[in-house]
Amino acid sequence: MTHLAATATTITATLIATTPAQSTLPGWAVLAALALAPPLSYAIACAAAPFRACRHCHGVGKTLTPNGHLKRWCHRCDGTGLRLRWGRRLFNYLRRLHQAGTR
């Protein structure tokens, strides 16, 4: 019984020692992936949710007096409370430019 246990551990140790080392990614590939991750995630966010809350009225669409009455509608978002993200604005511009150039 002792002999079988010793054989099993010897075979396992031999297999571990003889397996080739795992290949690693080159440093430039890791840096490229890290550099492309934020722009790609922002592009996905712009595609999924092209609008964001207006910074001026905080997404309410109007400016209120201290007692809660309507003072005026927000002039930046025209009272909607939403603004188009700059990434989506850039995408729309490039899409229109491409469509105009291929007609």
Side-chain angles (χ1 to χ4, degrees):
M1 189 68 141
T2 311
H3 179 66
L4 292 175
T7 306
T9 56
T10 307
I11 292 172
T12 306
T14 307
L15 287 175
I16 291 173
T18 58
T19 55
Q22 293 180 352
S23 62
T24 58
L25 288 174
W28 61 268
V30 174
L31 289 177
L34 289 175
L36 290 177
L40 287 178
S41 62
Y42 184 72
I44 292 170
C46 285
F51 294 98
R52 61 173 172 83
C54 178
R55 288 186 296 161
H56 185 67
C57 66
H58 306 287
V60 179
K62 53 191 171 187
T63 304
L64 301 175
T65 60
N67 61 0
H69 290 100
L70 174 67
K71 186 174 181 181
R72 66 173 188 264
W73 296 106
C74 179
H75 64 277
R76 292 186 184 177
C77 63
D78 293 327
T80 62
L82 299 173
R83 299 285 307 262
L84 195 62
R85 293 181 189 265
W86 66 265
R88 185 61 184 214
R89 194 177 307 269
L90 177 67
F91 175 76
N92 289 345
Y93 170 76
L94 293 174
R95 186 187 55 186
R96 287 186 192 121
L97 185 67
H98 175 71
Q99 287 177 349
T102 56
R103 288 186 187 174

